[in-house]
């Protein structure tokens, strides 16, 4: 495999070009499918394989920017982007991000900020993953249908009042000015609620030092009440803007390894198109289940990284990398397989209906 | 919102970020101290595209950033367009979809 090793003069290292293509492709598929930038996968992966952290972040942001262009255009074509909501999310997130980074600066003066951030990251990953997994198990229409068919006594059992979701409760708060998002099917919601949600997600991304796609996407679904595929598209649009800014600002500071970003983007933009296309064929609940699994495994990887920081046993760090990259590769494989199976099924149905 | 408006907003955002970063860069590079903004990379044993990139990186960091952004945008768009054509060839058509959970 050494023949694929290339010299990366700016980062000052040698790196395997095939590995760059593979990392790019996986994060492209996951980014296009989940509507996230994927920095939480690429940055640790590049870092583990030899990139200095600052170059890993800068190169990753350049890749995120390039891959999200094509995927955003594709989601726009499919009608998956709520531009009005997207621009509000960017504006509020920037303010939240600034507050988050100020809190970090304050904590830095007080003591060990790294450990606090990692514990919060861990709590968020497991909390979010468990919440989405629980939601899938309790709300999935197919499972609900199965439950109803089992042992319901129509005479003695009282009809259960359907539970109101968090987003429905938030929509009922009448705090003017009210705003509507027709593209997301939201008739009326208080602008303050929307701003508060994005301020909070922005704060988390500033505090944790991440792009925030994996926080914004579930927030759009569970707190604002946006359909999953529109949440994916709208989040990707926000990622495009933050990626563009991140790419430029890191490049001017000299922390983008241009050749690595270029090679990674070849794989990522192919992957992003496949991921964005798969959204058309996999239902919202399926997307949320896969996202929950991905987040939970990413949480496991961070937990291993945290154990490494405490024990300083290198095996934990390499296992963390293997868990993260392994999950990304398996998830990419599942998405592509599901896509091709669904396409095959669609073609078969089309053939039958013609006959 | 039309595509024209979106493109205008994107360009505006980009120009603003250039202005912000450029002012930051020029204020930092003026000093003698070695910072991330004026550090140099060795060009020994380099040739062709590698040499050109490193020289650009060493001599004009602002142009380097502009080239990175433009190349990333162009490559991302070209690759996305090409992949779309290949997917269409396999019968995977992407059009407006109905939104259901």
């Amino acid at each position: 495999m050494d023949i694929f090793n290339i010299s990366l003069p700016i980062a000052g290292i040698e790196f395997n070009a095939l590995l760059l293509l593979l990392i790019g492709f996986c994060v492209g598929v996951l980014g296009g499918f989940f509507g996230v930038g994927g920095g939480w996968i690429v940055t640790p992966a590049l870092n583990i394989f030899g990139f200095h952290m600052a170059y890993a972040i800068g190169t990753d942001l350049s890749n995120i920017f390039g891959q999200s262009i094509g995927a955003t255009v594709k989601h726009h074509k499919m009608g998956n982007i709520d531009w009005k909501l997207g621009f509000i999310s960017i504006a509020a997130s920037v303010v939240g991000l600034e507050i988050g980074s100020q809190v970090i600066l304050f904590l830095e003066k007080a003591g060990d900020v790294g450990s606090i951030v990692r514990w919060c990251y861990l709590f968020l990953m497991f909390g979010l993953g468990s919440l989405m997994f629980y939601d899938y198990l309790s709300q999935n229409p197919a499972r609900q249908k199965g439950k109803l068919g089992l042992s319901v006594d129509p005479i003695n059992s009282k009809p259960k009042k359907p539970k109101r979701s968090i987003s429905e409760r938030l929509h009922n708060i009448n705090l003017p000015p009210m705003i509507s998002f027709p593209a997301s099917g939201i008739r009326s919601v208080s602008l303050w609620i929307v701003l508060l949600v994005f301020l909070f997600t922005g704060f988390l991304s500033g505090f944790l030092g991440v792009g925030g796609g994996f926080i914004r996407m579930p927030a759009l679904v569970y707190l604002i009440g946006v359909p999953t595929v529109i949440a994916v598209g709208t989040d990707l649009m926000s990622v495009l803007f933050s990626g563009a800014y991140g790419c430029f600002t890191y490049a001017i500071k000299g922390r983008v390894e241009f050749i690595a970003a270029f090679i990674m983007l070849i794989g990522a933009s192919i992957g992003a198109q496949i991921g964005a296309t798969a959204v058309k064929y996999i239902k919202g609940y399926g997307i949320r289940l896969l996202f929950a699994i991905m987040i939970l495994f990413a949480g496991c990887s961070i937990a291993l990284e945290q154990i490494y920081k405490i024990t300083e046993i290198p095996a934990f760090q390499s296992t963390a990398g293997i868990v993260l990259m392994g999950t990304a590769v398996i998830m990419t494989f599942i998405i592509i397989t599901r896509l091709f199976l669904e396409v095959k099924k669609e073609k078969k149905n089309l053939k039958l209906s013609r006959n | 919102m039309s595509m024209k408006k979106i493109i205008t907003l994107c360009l505006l955002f980009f120009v603003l970020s250039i202005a912000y970063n450029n002012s930051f860069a020029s204020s930092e590079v003026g000093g003698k101290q070695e910072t991330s903004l004026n550090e140099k990379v060795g060009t020994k044993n380099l040739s062709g595209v590698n040499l050109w990139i490193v020289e650009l990186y060493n001599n004009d960091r602002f142009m380097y950033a502009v080239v990175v952004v433009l190349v990333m945008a162009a490559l991302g768009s070209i690759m996305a367009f090409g992949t779309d054509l290949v997917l269409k060839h396999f019968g995977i058509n992407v059009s407006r979809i109905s939104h259901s959970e």
Side-chain angles (χ1 to χ4, degrees):
Chain A
M1 297 299 267
D2 281 357
I3 53 163
F4 293 109
N5 275 2
I6 50 163
S7 162
L8 303 173
I10 292 170
I13 54 167
E14 281 214 344
F15 208 89
N16 193 303
L18 280 183
L19 188 62
L20 278 174
L21 271 176
L22 177 74
I23 294 172
F25 180 75
C26 289
V27 82
V29 172
L30 299 176
F33 187 72
F34 293 129
V36 295
W40 43 290
I41 304 167
V42 179
T43 307
L46 288 179
N47 186 231
I48 285 162
F49 291 119
F51 264 73
H52 188 274
M53 197 46 140
Y55 288 102
I57 298 171
T59 308
D60 174 31
L61 278 169
S62 305
N63 175 60
I64 286 171
F65 166 56
Q67 83 177 41
S68 56
I69 290 177
T72 305
V73 170
K74 187 152 223 168
H75 276 288
H76 174 68
K77 274 187 199 164
M78 292 195 282
N80 290 350
I81 299 179
D82 189 331
W83 291 96
K84 192 173 161 186
L85 185 62
F87 282 116
I88 292 175
S89 92
I90 293 170
S93 297
V94 167
V95 179
L97 203 139
E98 195 52 45
I99 298 169
S101 55
Q102 289 301 324
V103 171
I104 285 289
L105 289 177
F106 174 76
L107 287 174
E108 213 169 32
K109 282 176 199 161
D112 180 22
V113 69
S115 181
I116 299 170
V117 168
R118 268 193 302 278
W119 280 115
C120 289
Y121 206 165
L122 205 60
F123 178 75
L124 187 76
M125 287 290 209
F126 280 117
L128 214 55
S130 311
L131 176 87
M132 292 181 85
F133 203 67
Y134 170 76
D135 171 70
Y136 174 80
L137 293 176
S138 60
Q139 305 262 318
N140 180 6
R143 289 182 63 90
Q144 288 293 318
K145 222 185 273 174
K147 264 190 200 168
L148 290 175
L150 276 175
S151 57
V152 177
D153 181 353
I155 299 163
N156 295 325
S157 65
K158 284 180 187 171
K160 271 187 182 173
K161 206 177 166 185
K163 267 187 190 173
R164 281 198 307 166
S165 63
I166 302 171
S167 62
E168 280 170 337
R169 284 177 200 187
L170 290 175
H171 287 181
N172 284 342
I173 297 172
N174 195 6
L175 191 68
M178 303 300 277
I179 191 167
S180 69
F181 297 103
S184 301
I186 297 170
R187 266 182 260 161
S188 174
V189 61
S190 170
L191 178 64
W192 295 110
I193 299 287
V194 179
L195 288 176
L196 208 68
V197 167
F198 290 123
L199 210 65
F200 180 64
T201 57
F203 169 80
L204 281 179
S205 67
F207 184 76
L208 300 172
V210 292
F214 75 95
I215 307 168
R216 252 191 330 262
M217 195 278 248
L220 281 164
V221 174
Y222 293 108
L223 301 178
I224 312 281
V226 178
T228 311
V229 284
I230 296 188
V232 169
T234 308
D235 193 24
L236 208 52
M237 169 248 179
S238 312
V239 167
L240 169 67
F241 278 83
S242 52
Y245 180 76
C247 173
F248 188 79
T249 194
Y250 268 88
I252 212 163
K253 291 176 183 80
R255 290 296 175 264
V256 174
E257 175 43 72
F258 181 73
I259 295 166
F262 190 91
I263 295 170
M264 221 157 69
L265 184 57
I266 294 172
S269 35
I270 297 171
Q273 290 304 98
I274 295 172
T277 308
V279 168
K280 187 188 171 185
Y281 292 92
I282 299 170
K283 282 200 186 278
Y285 273 97
I287 299 171
R288 275 143 73 173
L289 173 70
L290 292 174
F291 189 79
I293 296 169
M294 185 75 223
I295 287 272
L296 284 173
F297 274 96
C300 289
S301 163
I302 296 162
L304 286 165
E305 185 78 27
Q306 182 73 336
I307 296 170
Y308 162 71
K309 298 277 177 195
I310 297 165
T311 61
E312 292 189 355
I313 300 170
F316 282 112
Q317 197 187 28
S318 49
T319 314
I322 292 166
V323 168
L324 194 64
M325 262 320 281
T327 314
V329 171
I330 292 168
M331 206 53 86
T332 303
F333 179 74
I334 292 171
I335 293 167
I336 293 174
T337 312
R338 280 288 301 271
L339 169 66
F340 281 100
L341 286 176
E342 292 294 327
V343 169
K344 213 172 155 187
K345 207 162 93 183
E346 192 185 61
K347 276 185 180 172
K348 203 176 165 186
N349 289 342
L350 203 72
K351 220 175 179 181
L352 283 172
S353 65
R354 273 183 195 157
N355 293 334
Chain B
M1 186 184 269
S2 68
M3 246 355 244
K4 261 188 186 173
K5 276 187 185 173
I6 295 162
I7 293 164
T8 315
L9 275 168
C10 292
L11 283 175
L12 187 71
F13 182 80
F14 183 61
V15 169
L16 281 174
S17 69
I18 285 177
Y20 171 73
N21 278 290
N22 201 25
S23 61
F24 173 65
S26 51
S27 66
E28 287 278 324
V29 173
K32 297 244 181 224
Q33 208 181 346
E34 168 105 344
T35 68
S36 63
L37 295 166
N38 57 15
E39 68 186 22
K40 308 271 187 239
V41 171
T43 52
K44 213 173 147 187
N45 301 329
L46 293 179
S47 60
V49 181
N50 275 0
L51 180 65
W52 180 73
I53 291 165
V54 171
E55 277 182 347
L56 193 65
Y57 179 92
N58 286 340
N59 303 329
D60 192 345
R61 194 61 66 76
F62 178 74
M63 269 316 287
Y64 173 75
V66 172
V67 167
V68 168
V69 172
L70 292 180
V71 171
M72 289 293 123
L75 181 68
S77 308
I78 292 165
M79 291 301 296
F81 181 72
T83 313
D84 218 22
L85 286 180
V86 175
L87 288 175
K88 269 183 193 162
H89 180 75
F90 282 107
I92 304 172
N93 188 27
V94 174
S95 53
R96 189 166 277 269
I97 59 172
S98 60
H99 301 111
S100 63
E101 296 295 280

